[in-house]
Amino acid sequence: MDSRVTVRFYRVERRSQDQPEFADCLALLEGKDEDALLAAVGDIEMGVFDFAKDGSFFSGDLARRQTENLPTILQPHKKPTNLELPAGGALGHHTAFRFDVRTKMLAYQLTRNAVSMSHFNLYIAAKANCETFQFLPCFDPAKLQDLAHVRPRTIFIKIAEPHDLEAIEDKQRGKRVVMAA
């Protein structure tokens, strides 16, 4: 078990007025068995477990199934051996979520190999047959006020899946690039 857990908070908004509310999409998952809650989303297979509604709260455990690139088993004074899973089995990488219907606030646990927020968004949109939602991060006003008095010295730019960097490389070749992890 992790000794530290990171949870971030987001306000969930619809992209259009024609789109159902996030809570209505979550309600579609109620009462379904775990097999019905498994789905291939993008490049991963994932599912929702322990899904529940308690008053105005929806909560659940999301799990990404890993069946390839499995780690090895290490034992003292022996060569590493491949990890073998039972037929149909997979490693599970878990993350938890909790959504408050009244405030439209989502608490989302961040874990290294688990279901990303974008995959969760795609999963809900696929299950509800609608477009994806906007997850707007919630900031601490005191922290934002602290940042107002700081003069930035470094800016980090992160590009997701660049297919062709030639568009920015010609004049920028001599500049130092710092990548954010």
Side-chain angles (χ1 to χ4, degrees):
M1 177 182 267
D2 293 333
S3 60
R4 295 180 70 186
V5 175
T6 301
V7 176
R8 294 213 175 126
F9 295 86
Y10 300 88
R11 190 177 72 239
V12 181
E13 297 288 339
R14 300 182 295 176
R15 293 186 187 272
S16 69
Q17 293 299 318
D18 299 335
Q19 184 177 11
E21 293 286 345
F22 191 69
D24 296 332
C25 295
L26 289 174
L28 295 173
L29 305 178
E30 278 187 285
K32 293 189 177 180
D33 65 20
E34 290 181 353
D35 287 340
L37 295 175
L38 290 174
V41 179
D43 57 347
I44 70 166
E45 187 178 342
M46 63 168 286
V48 178
F49 301 90
D50 299 324
F51 184 75
K53 183 166 194 253
D54 180 17
S56 68
F57 292 97
F58 285 100
S59 61
D61 178 28
L62 302 169
R64 180 179 69 84
R65 293 173 47 87
Q66 180 182 354
T67 58
E68 297 176 339
N69 299 320
L70 299 176
T72 59
I73 298 172
L74 300 176
Q75 294 179 331
H77 313 294
K78 293 184 179 180
K79 285 186 172 186
T81 57
N82 291 333
L83 177 63
E84 296 202 20
L85 300 172
L91 292 181
H93 300 283
H94 297 264
T95 192
F97 73 92
R98 186 166 172 95
F99 179 72
D100 184 348
V101 174
R102 294 170 299 162
T103 61
K104 298 183 181 181
M105 296 295 292
L106 174 69
Y108 198 84
Q109 179 187 8
L110 298 178
T111 55
R112 183 179 307 176
N113 293 322
V115 178
S116 66
M117 292 225 30
S118 60
H119 280 100
F120 179 49
N121 199 358
L122 289 168
Y123 174 85
I124 295 298
K127 290 293 183 183
N129 197 26
C130 68
E131 62 184 310
T132 58
F133 292 85
Q134 293 180 352
F135 293 152
L136 307 173
C138 297
F139 295 102
D140 180 353
K143 297 282 185 198
L144 284 177
Q145 199 164 34
D146 289 346
L147 288 175
H149 304 292
V150 174
R151 185 175 188 151
R153 296 182 186 168
T154 305
I155 185 168
F156 292 98
I157 300 173
K158 191 172 184 178
I159 301 171
E161 298 184 31
H163 296 290
D164 184 7
L165 290 177
E166 288 182 19
I168 62 170
E169 284 184 346
D170 55 349
K171 293 181 183 177
Q172 313 301 332
R173 288 185 198 273
K175 295 187 178 173
R176 182 174 160 237
V177 176
V178 178
M179 298 298 285

PDB file of all heavy atoms in Angstrom, residues 89-121:
ATOM      1  N   GLY A  89      -6.229 -13.804 -16.861  1.00  0.00           N
ATOM      2  CA  GLY A  89      -5.843 -12.899 -15.783  1.00  0.00           C
ATOM      3  C   GLY A  89      -5.030 -11.721 -16.291  1.00  0.00           C
ATOM      4  O   GLY A  89      -4.521 -11.724 -17.407  1.00  0.00           O
ATOM      5  N   ALA A  90      -4.916 -10.716 -15.467  1.00  0.00           N
ATOM      6  CA  ALA A  90      -4.149  -9.525 -15.796  1.00  0.00           C
ATOM      7  C   ALA A  90      -3.691  -8.860 -14.505  1.00  0.00           C
ATOM      8  O   ALA A  90      -4.266  -9.094 -13.445  1.00  0.00           O
ATOM      9  CB  ALA A  90      -5.008  -8.548 -16.606  1.00  0.00           C
ATOM     10  N   LEU A  91      -2.655  -8.055 -14.615  1.00  0.00           N
ATOM     11  CA  LEU A  91      -2.295  -7.202 -13.495  1.00  0.00           C
ATOM     12  C   LEU A  91      -3.274  -6.038 -13.490  1.00  0.00           C
ATOM     13  O   LEU A  91      -3.682  -5.552 -14.545  1.00  0.00           O
ATOM     14  CB  LEU A  91      -0.878  -6.651 -13.663  1.00  0.00           C
ATOM     15  CG  LEU A  91       0.277  -7.640 -13.572  1.00  0.00           C
ATOM     16  CD1 LEU A  91       1.598  -6.900 -13.734  1.00  0.00           C
ATOM     17  CD2 LEU A  91       0.255  -8.390 -12.257  1.00  0.00           C
ATOM     18  N   GLY A  92      -3.641  -5.576 -12.320  1.00  0.00           N
ATOM     19  CA  GLY A  92      -4.558  -4.445 -12.222  1.00  0.00           C
ATOM     20  C   GLY A  92      -3.860  -3.235 -11.636  1.00  0.00           C
ATOM     21  O   GLY A  92      -3.214  -3.331 -10.605  1.00  0.00           O
ATOM     22  N   HIS A  93      -3.983  -2.114 -12.319  1.00  0.00           N
ATOM     23  CA  HIS A  93      -3.437  -0.845 -11.836  1.00  0.00           C
ATOM     24  C   HIS A  93      -4.632   0.029 -11.483  1.00  0.00           C
ATOM     25  O   HIS A  93      -5.402   0.420 -12.352  1.00  0.00           O
ATOM     26  CB  HIS A  93      -2.559  -0.195 -12.909  1.00  0.00           C
ATOM     27  CG  HIS A  93      -1.397  -1.047 -13.312  1.00  0.00           C
ATOM     28  ND1 HIS A  93      -0.262  -1.165 -12.539  1.00  0.00           N
ATOM     29  CD2 HIS A  93      -1.212  -1.839 -14.390  1.00  0.00           C
ATOM     30  CE1 HIS A  93       0.588  -1.978 -13.137  1.00  0.00           C
ATOM     31  NE2 HIS A  93       0.028  -2.406 -14.265  1.00  0.00           N
ATOM     32  N   HIS A  94      -4.767   0.341 -10.210  1.00  0.00           N
ATOM     33  CA  HIS A  94      -6.001   0.941  -9.687  1.00  0.00           C
ATOM     34  C   HIS A  94      -5.870   2.431  -9.397  1.00  0.00           C
ATOM     35  O   HIS A  94      -4.801   2.913  -9.028  1.00  0.00           O
ATOM     36  CB  HIS A  94      -6.414   0.234  -8.395  1.00  0.00           C
ATOM     37  CG  HIS A  94      -6.747  -1.198  -8.598  1.00  0.00           C
ATOM     38  ND1 HIS A  94      -8.032  -1.633  -8.773  1.00  0.00           N
ATOM     39  CD2 HIS A  94      -5.963  -2.302  -8.682  1.00  0.00           C
ATOM     40  CE1 HIS A  94      -8.029  -2.945  -8.949  1.00  0.00           C
ATOM     41  NE2 HIS A  94      -6.784  -3.375  -8.898  1.00  0.00           N
ATOM     42  N   THR A  95      -6.986   3.112  -9.540  1.00  0.00           N
ATOM     43  CA  THR A  95      -7.137   4.490  -9.100  1.00  0.00           C
ATOM     44  C   THR A  95      -8.585   4.686  -8.677  1.00  0.00           C
ATOM     45  O   THR A  95      -9.490   4.048  -9.209  1.00  0.00           O
ATOM     46  CB  THR A  95      -6.723   5.489 -10.197  1.00  0.00           C
ATOM     47  OG1 THR A  95      -6.617   6.787  -9.631  1.00  0.00           O
ATOM     48  CG2 THR A  95      -7.700   5.512 -11.349  1.00  0.00           C
ATOM     49  N   ALA A  96      -8.799   5.548  -7.719  1.00  0.00           N
ATOM     50  CA  ALA A  96     -10.150   5.769  -7.187  1.00  0.00           C
ATOM     51  C   ALA A  96     -10.680   7.123  -7.631  1.00  0.00           C
ATOM     52  O   ALA A  96      -9.907   8.043  -7.920  1.00  0.00           O
ATOM     53  CB  ALA A  96     -10.118   5.697  -5.665  1.00  0.00           C
ATOM     54  N   PHE A  97     -12.005   7.226  -7.672  1.00  0.00           N
ATOM     55  CA  PHE A  97     -12.635   8.513  -7.958  1.00  0.00           C
ATOM     56  C   PHE A  97     -13.877   8.672  -7.097  1.00  0.00           C
ATOM     57  O   PHE A  97     -14.460   7.702  -6.632  1.00  0.00           O
ATOM     58  CB  PHE A  97     -12.999   8.656  -9.450  1.00  0.00           C
ATOM     59  CG  PHE A  97     -14.171   7.824  -9.875  1.00  0.00           C
ATOM     60  CD1 PHE A  97     -15.459   8.338  -9.856  1.00  0.00           C
ATOM     61  CD2 PHE A  97     -13.996   6.517 -10.303  1.00  0.00           C
ATOM     62  CE1 PHE A  97     -16.550   7.566 -10.251  1.00  0.00           C
ATOM     63  CE2 PHE A  97     -15.066   5.737 -10.703  1.00  0.00           C
ATOM     64  CZ  PHE A  97     -16.352   6.259 -10.674  1.00  0.00           C
ATOM     65  N   ARG A  98     -14.269   9.932  -6.913  1.00  0.00           N
ATOM     66  CA  ARG A  98     -15.502  10.251  -6.188  1.00  0.00           C
ATOM     67  C   ARG A  98     -16.047  11.537  -6.803  1.00  0.00           C
ATOM     68  O   ARG A  98     -15.318  12.515  -6.948  1.00  0.00           O
ATOM     69  CB  ARG A  98     -15.219  10.425  -4.703  1.00  0.00           C
ATOM     70  CG  ARG A  98     -16.460  10.611  -3.856  1.00  0.00           C
ATOM     71  CD  ARG A  98     -16.090  10.424  -2.394  1.00  0.00           C
ATOM     72  NE  ARG A  98     -17.162  10.750  -1.495  1.00  0.00           N
ATOM     73  CZ  ARG A  98     -18.017   9.862  -1.002  1.00  0.00           C
ATOM     74  NH1 ARG A  98     -17.907   8.595  -1.328  1.00  0.00           N
ATOM     75  NH2 ARG A  98     -18.960  10.233  -0.167  1.00  0.00           N
ATOM     76  N   PHE A  99     -17.320  11.498  -7.169  1.00  0.00           N
ATOM     77  CA  PHE A  99     -17.953  12.639  -7.825  1.00  0.00           C
ATOM     78  C   PHE A  99     -19.140  13.104  -7.001  1.00  0.00           C
ATOM     79  O   PHE A  99     -19.996  12.303  -6.627  1.00  0.00           O
ATOM     80  CB  PHE A  99     -18.416  12.255  -9.234  1.00  0.00           C
ATOM     81  CG  PHE A  99     -19.091  13.369  -9.972  1.00  0.00           C
ATOM     82  CD1 PHE A  99     -18.370  14.452 -10.453  1.00  0.00           C
ATOM     83  CD2 PHE A  99     -20.459  13.355 -10.179  1.00  0.00           C
ATOM     84  CE1 PHE A  99     -18.993  15.493 -11.123  1.00  0.00           C
ATOM     85  CE2 PHE A  99     -21.104  14.386 -10.857  1.00  0.00           C
ATOM     86  CZ  PHE A  99     -20.360  15.453 -11.330  1.00  0.00           C
ATOM     87  N   ASP A 100     -19.193  14.409  -6.729  1.00  0.00           N
ATOM     88  CA  ASP A 100     -20.301  15.009  -5.995  1.00  0.00           C
ATOM     89  C   ASP A 100     -21.249  15.645  -7.008  1.00  0.00           C
ATOM     90  O   ASP A 100     -20.880  16.608  -7.697  1.00  0.00           O
ATOM     91  CB  ASP A 100     -19.783  16.063  -5.020  1.00  0.00           C
ATOM     92  CG  ASP A 100     -20.882  16.670  -4.149  1.00  0.00           C
ATOM     93  OD1 ASP A 100     -22.082  16.455  -4.441  1.00  0.00           O
ATOM     94  OD2 ASP A 100     -20.531  17.360  -3.179  1.00  0.00           O
ATOM     95  N   VAL A 101     -22.457  15.105  -7.104  1.00  0.00           N
ATOM     96  CA  VAL A 101     -23.445  15.558  -8.076  1.00  0.00           C
ATOM     97  C   VAL A 101     -23.815  17.023  -7.838  1.00  0.00           C
ATOM     98  O   VAL A 101     -23.965  17.798  -8.785  1.00  0.00           O
ATOM     99  CB  VAL A 101     -24.705  14.664  -8.017  1.00  0.00           C
ATOM    100  CG1 VAL A 101     -25.801  15.185  -8.914  1.00  0.00           C
ATOM    101  CG2 VAL A 101     -24.347  13.220  -8.370  1.00  0.00           C
ATOM    102  N   ARG A 102     -23.949  17.415  -6.572  1.00  0.00           N
ATOM    103  CA  ARG A 102     -24.399  18.782  -6.252  1.00  0.00           C
ATOM    104  C   ARG A 102     -23.413  19.854  -6.692  1.00  0.00           C
ATOM    105  O   ARG A 102     -23.799  20.879  -7.226  1.00  0.00           O
ATOM    106  CB  ARG A 102     -24.662  18.924  -4.758  1.00  0.00           C
ATOM    107  CG  ARG A 102     -25.826  18.080  -4.253  1.00  0.00           C
ATOM    108  CD  ARG A 102     -25.860  18.079  -2.756  1.00  0.00           C
ATOM    109  NE  ARG A 102     -24.595  17.489  -2.300  1.00  0.00           N
ATOM    110  CZ  ARG A 102     -24.090  17.597  -1.093  1.00  0.00           C
ATOM    111  NH1 ARG A 102     -24.741  18.283  -0.180  1.00  0.00           N
ATOM    112  NH2 ARG A 102     -22.963  17.037  -0.764  1.00  0.00           N
ATOM    113  N   THR A 103     -22.137  19.620  -6.454  1.00  0.00           N
ATOM    114  CA  THR A 103     -21.123  20.626  -6.765  1.00  0.00           C
ATOM    115  C   THR A 103     -20.422  20.378  -8.101  1.00  0.00           C
ATOM    116  O   THR A 103     -19.618  21.202  -8.523  1.00  0.00           O
ATOM    117  CB  THR A 103     -20.053  20.673  -5.660  1.00  0.00           C
ATOM    118  OG1 THR A 103     -19.410  19.401  -5.586  1.00  0.00           O
ATOM    119  CG2 THR A 103     -20.673  21.052  -4.321  1.00  0.00           C
ATOM    120  N   LYS A 104     -20.691  19.217  -8.722  1.00  0.00           N
ATOM    121  CA  LYS A 104     -20.037  18.807  -9.975  1.00  0.00           C
ATOM    122  C   LYS A 104     -18.525  18.692  -9.807  1.00  0.00           C
ATOM    123  O   LYS A 104     -17.757  18.969 -10.712  1.00  0.00           O
ATOM    124  CB  LYS A 104     -20.364  19.761 -11.123  1.00  0.00           C
ATOM    125  CG  LYS A 104     -21.830  19.814 -11.470  1.00  0.00           C
ATOM    126  CD  LYS A 104     -22.070  20.705 -12.648  1.00  0.00           C
ATOM    127  CE  LYS A 104     -23.546  20.764 -12.979  1.00  0.00           C
ATOM    128  NZ  LYS A 104     -23.825  21.601 -14.137  1.00  0.00           N
ATOM    129  N   MET A 105     -18.105  18.306  -8.599  1.00  0.00           N
ATOM    130  CA  MET A 105     -16.686  18.181  -8.286  1.00  0.00           C
ATOM    131  C   MET A 105     -16.265  16.716  -8.334  1.00  0.00           C
ATOM    132  O   MET A 105     -16.952  15.849  -7.783  1.00  0.00           O
ATOM    133  CB  MET A 105     -16.378  18.747  -6.904  1.00  0.00           C
ATOM    134  CG  MET A 105     -16.623  20.243  -6.787  1.00  0.00           C
ATOM    135  SD  MET A 105     -15.538  21.219  -7.821  1.00  0.00           S
ATOM    136  CE  MET A 105     -14.006  20.932  -7.017  1.00  0.00           C
ATOM    137  N   LEU A 106     -15.145  16.474  -8.993  1.00  0.00           N
ATOM    138  CA  LEU A 106     -14.575  15.138  -9.115  1.00  0.00           C
ATOM    139  C   LEU A 106     -13.258  15.093  -8.352  1.00  0.00           C
ATOM    140  O   LEU A 106     -12.372  15.920  -8.594  1.00  0.00           O
ATOM    141  CB  LEU A 106     -14.329  14.800 -10.592  1.00  0.00           C
ATOM    142  CG  LEU A 106     -13.602  13.487 -10.892  1.00  0.00           C
ATOM    143  CD1 LEU A 106     -14.491  12.292 -10.551  1.00  0.00           C
ATOM    144  CD2 LEU A 106     -13.179  13.436 -12.350  1.00  0.00           C
ATOM    145  N   ALA A 107     -13.134  14.153  -7.426  1.00  0.00           N
ATOM    146  CA  ALA A 107     -11.863  13.873  -6.760  1.00  0.00           C
ATOM    147  C   ALA A 107     -11.279  12.665  -7.483  1.00  0.00           C
ATOM    148  O   ALA A 107     -11.951  11.644  -7.631  1.00  0.00           O
ATOM    149  CB  ALA A 107     -12.084  13.561  -5.286  1.00  0.00           C
ATOM    150  N   TYR A 108     -10.042  12.796  -7.966  1.00  0.00           N
ATOM    151  CA  TYR A 108      -9.438  11.749  -8.794  1.00  0.00           C
ATOM    152  C   TYR A 108      -8.043  11.441  -8.273  1.00  0.00           C
ATOM    153  O   TYR A 108      -7.186  12.321  -8.192  1.00  0.00           O
ATOM    154  CB  TYR A 108      -9.372  12.220 -10.252  1.00  0.00           C
ATOM    155  CG  TYR A 108      -9.174  11.109 -11.235  1.00  0.00           C
ATOM    156  CD1 TYR A 108     -10.252  10.378 -11.697  1.00  0.00           C
ATOM    157  CD2 TYR A 108      -7.911  10.793 -11.703  1.00  0.00           C
ATOM    158  CE1 TYR A 108     -10.083   9.344 -12.596  1.00  0.00           C
ATOM    159  CE2 TYR A 108      -7.730   9.757 -12.603  1.00  0.00           C
ATOM    160  CZ  TYR A 108      -8.819   9.049 -13.046  1.00  0.00           C
ATOM    161  OH  TYR A 108      -8.638   8.013 -13.943  1.00  0.00           O
ATOM    162  N   GLN A 109      -7.822  10.182  -7.915  1.00  0.00           N
ATOM    163  CA  GLN A 109      -6.528   9.749  -7.410  1.00  0.00           C
ATOM    164  C   GLN A 109      -5.557   9.615  -8.577  1.00  0.00           C
ATOM    165  O   GLN A 109      -5.882   9.036  -9.611  1.00  0.00           O
ATOM    166  CB  GLN A 109      -6.671   8.407  -6.698  1.00  0.00           C
ATOM    167  CG  GLN A 109      -5.363   7.863  -6.168  1.00  0.00           C
ATOM    168  CD  GLN A 109      -5.506   6.455  -5.623  1.00  0.00           C
ATOM    169  OE1 GLN A 109      -6.544   5.821  -5.765  1.00  0.00           O
ATOM    170  NE2 GLN A 109      -4.463   5.970  -5.002  1.00  0.00           N
ATOM    171  N   LEU A 110      -4.356  10.140  -8.399  1.00  0.00           N
ATOM    172  CA  LEU A 110      -3.337  10.029  -9.432  1.00  0.00           C
ATOM    173  C   LEU A 110      -2.356   8.931  -9.049  1.00  0.00           C
ATOM    174  O   LEU A 110      -1.750   8.976  -7.981  1.00  0.00           O
ATOM    175  CB  LEU A 110      -2.596  11.355  -9.602  1.00  0.00           C
ATOM    176  CG  LEU A 110      -3.454  12.527 -10.043  1.00  0.00           C
ATOM    177  CD1 LEU A 110      -2.623  13.792 -10.118  1.00  0.00           C
ATOM    178  CD2 LEU A 110      -4.106  12.256 -11.375  1.00  0.00           C
ATOM    179  N   THR A 111      -2.239   7.948  -9.912  1.00  0.00           N
ATOM    180  CA  THR A 111      -1.288   6.868  -9.701  1.00  0.00           C
ATOM    181  C   THR A 111      -0.537   6.627 -11.002  1.00  0.00           C
ATOM    182  O   THR A 111      -1.035   6.910 -12.092  1.00  0.00           O
ATOM    183  CB  THR A 111      -1.989   5.571  -9.247  1.00  0.00           C
ATOM    184  OG1 THR A 111      -2.996   5.241 -10.192  1.00  0.00           O
ATOM    185  CG2 THR A 111      -2.629   5.732  -7.890  1.00  0.00           C
ATOM    186  N   ARG A 112       0.655   6.095 -10.888  1.00  0.00           N
ATOM    187  CA  ARG A 112       1.577   6.019 -12.009  1.00  0.00           C
ATOM    188  C   ARG A 112       1.051   5.218 -13.205  1.00  0.00           C
ATOM    189  O   ARG A 112       1.063   5.703 -14.315  1.00  0.00           O
ATOM    190  CB  ARG A 112       2.900   5.421 -11.547  1.00  0.00           C
ATOM    191  CG  ARG A 112       3.926   5.390 -12.653  1.00  0.00           C
ATOM    192  CD  ARG A 112       5.224   4.826 -12.203  1.00  0.00           C
ATOM    193  NE  ARG A 112       5.670   5.540 -11.017  1.00  0.00           N
ATOM    194  CZ  ARG A 112       6.737   5.224 -10.343  1.00  0.00           C
ATOM    195  NH1 ARG A 112       7.461   4.213 -10.702  1.00  0.00           N
ATOM    196  NH2 ARG A 112       7.080   5.906  -9.288  1.00  0.00           N
ATOM    197  N   ASN A 113       0.636   4.004 -13.046  1.00  0.00           N
ATOM    198  CA  ASN A 113       0.283   3.146 -14.183  1.00  0.00           C
ATOM    199  C   ASN A 113      -1.215   2.923 -14.351  1.00  0.00           C
ATOM    200  O   ASN A 113      -1.628   2.094 -15.141  1.00  0.00           O
ATOM    201  CB  ASN A 113       0.970   1.779 -14.038  1.00  0.00           C
ATOM    202  CG  ASN A 113       2.464   1.894 -14.157  1.00  0.00           C
ATOM    203  OD1 ASN A 113       2.973   2.661 -14.951  1.00  0.00           O
ATOM    204  ND2 ASN A 113       3.176   1.146 -13.339  1.00  0.00           N
ATOM    205  N   ALA A 114      -2.002   3.640 -13.615  1.00  0.00           N
ATOM    206  CA  ALA A 114      -3.442   3.394 -13.634  1.00  0.00           C
ATOM    207  C   ALA A 114      -4.132   4.144 -14.769  1.00  0.00           C
ATOM    208  O   ALA A 114      -3.502   4.655 -15.688  1.00  0.00           O
ATOM    209  CB  ALA A 114      -4.037   3.782 -12.285  1.00  0.00           C
ATOM    210  N   VAL A 115      -5.433   4.216 -14.699  1.00  0.00           N
ATOM    211  CA  VAL A 115      -6.253   4.859 -15.719  1.00  0.00           C
ATOM    212  C   VAL A 115      -6.050   6.371 -15.653  1.00  0.00           C
ATOM    213  O   VAL A 115      -6.274   6.991 -14.607  1.00  0.00           O
ATOM    214  CB  VAL A 115      -7.747   4.521 -15.501  1.00  0.00           C
ATOM    215  CG1 VAL A 115      -8.618   5.235 -16.525  1.00  0.00           C
ATOM    216  CG2 VAL A 115      -7.965   3.015 -15.569  1.00  0.00           C
ATOM    217  N   SER A 116      -5.636   6.953 -16.777  1.00  0.00           N
ATOM    218  CA  SER A 116      -5.444   8.403 -16.822  1.00  0.00           C
ATOM    219  C   SER A 116      -6.807   9.096 -16.852  1.00  0.00           C
ATOM    220  O   SER A 116      -7.826   8.489 -17.178  1.00  0.00           O
ATOM    221  CB  SER A 116      -4.635   8.794 -18.061  1.00  0.00           C
ATOM    222  OG  SER A 116      -5.402   8.512 -19.228  1.00  0.00           O
ATOM    223  N   MET A 117      -6.806  10.372 -16.566  1.00  0.00           N
ATOM    224  CA  MET A 117      -8.057  11.140 -16.609  1.00  0.00           C
ATOM    225  C   MET A 117      -8.630  11.144 -18.021  1.00  0.00           C
ATOM    226  O   MET A 117      -9.840  11.070 -18.198  1.00  0.00           O
ATOM    227  CB  MET A 117      -7.818  12.582 -16.150  1.00  0.00           C
ATOM    228  CG  MET A 117      -7.480  12.642 -14.694  1.00  0.00           C
ATOM    229  SD  MET A 117      -8.290  13.890 -13.733  1.00  0.00           S
ATOM    230  CE  MET A 117      -9.827  14.169 -14.441  1.00  0.00           C
ATOM    231  N   SER A 118      -7.772  11.233 -19.025  1.00  0.00           N
ATOM    232  CA  SER A 118      -8.273  11.259 -20.401  1.00  0.00           C
ATOM    233  C   SER A 118      -8.921   9.926 -20.773  1.00  0.00           C
ATOM    234  O   SER A 118      -9.949   9.907 -21.454  1.00  0.00           O
ATOM    235  CB  SER A 118      -7.167  11.617 -21.387  1.00  0.00           C
ATOM    236  OG  SER A 118      -6.115  10.688 -21.329  1.00  0.00           O
ATOM    237  N   HIS A 119      -8.371   8.807 -20.298  1.00  0.00           N
ATOM    238  CA  HIS A 119      -9.002   7.508 -20.562  1.00  0.00           C
ATOM    239  C   HIS A 119     -10.324   7.373 -19.808  1.00  0.00           C
ATOM    240  O   HIS A 119     -11.281   6.802 -20.323  1.00  0.00           O
ATOM    241  CB  HIS A 119      -8.057   6.355 -20.195  1.00  0.00           C
ATOM    242  CG  HIS A 119      -7.037   6.079 -21.247  1.00  0.00           C
ATOM    243  ND1 HIS A 119      -5.743   6.528 -21.159  1.00  0.00           N
ATOM    244  CD2 HIS A 119      -7.119   5.402 -22.424  1.00  0.00           C
ATOM    245  CE1 HIS A 119      -5.075   6.145 -22.217  1.00  0.00           C
ATOM    246  NE2 HIS A 119      -5.882   5.466 -23.015  1.00  0.00           N
ATOM    247  N   PHE A 120     -10.380   7.885 -18.590  1.00  0.00           N
ATOM    248  CA  PHE A 120     -11.630   7.872 -17.829  1.00  0.00           C
ATOM    249  C   PHE A 120     -12.689   8.687 -18.570  1.00  0.00           C
ATOM    250  O   PHE A 120     -13.836   8.261 -18.716  1.00  0.00           O
ATOM    251  CB  PHE A 120     -11.384   8.438 -16.423  1.00  0.00           C
ATOM    252  CG  PHE A 120     -12.609   8.501 -15.543  1.00  0.00           C
ATOM    253  CD1 PHE A 120     -13.460   7.408 -15.395  1.00  0.00           C
ATOM    254  CD2 PHE A 120     -12.904   9.651 -14.841  1.00  0.00           C
ATOM    255  CE1 PHE A 120     -14.584   7.471 -14.567  1.00  0.00           C
ATOM    256  CE2 PHE A 120     -14.015   9.725 -14.010  1.00  0.00           C
ATOM    257  CZ  PHE A 120     -14.858   8.636 -13.882  1.00  0.00           C
ATOM    258  N   ASN A 121     -12.304   9.842 -19.079  1.00  0.00           N
ATOM    259  CA  ASN A 121     -13.205  10.699 -19.829  1.00  0.00           C
ATOM    260  C   ASN A 121     -13.715   9.970 -21.087  1.00  0.00           C
ATOM    261  O   ASN A 121     -14.916   9.969 -21.375  1.00  0.00           O
ATOM    262  CB  ASN A 121     -12.479  11.989 -20.214  1.00  0.00           C
ATOM    263  CG  ASN A 121     -13.400  13.124 -20.581  1.00  0.00           C
ATOM    264  OD1 ASN A 121     -14.613  12.988 -20.594  1.00  0.00           O
ATOM    265  ND2 ASN A 121     -12.811  14.263 -20.882  1.00  0.00           N
TER     266      ASN A 121
END
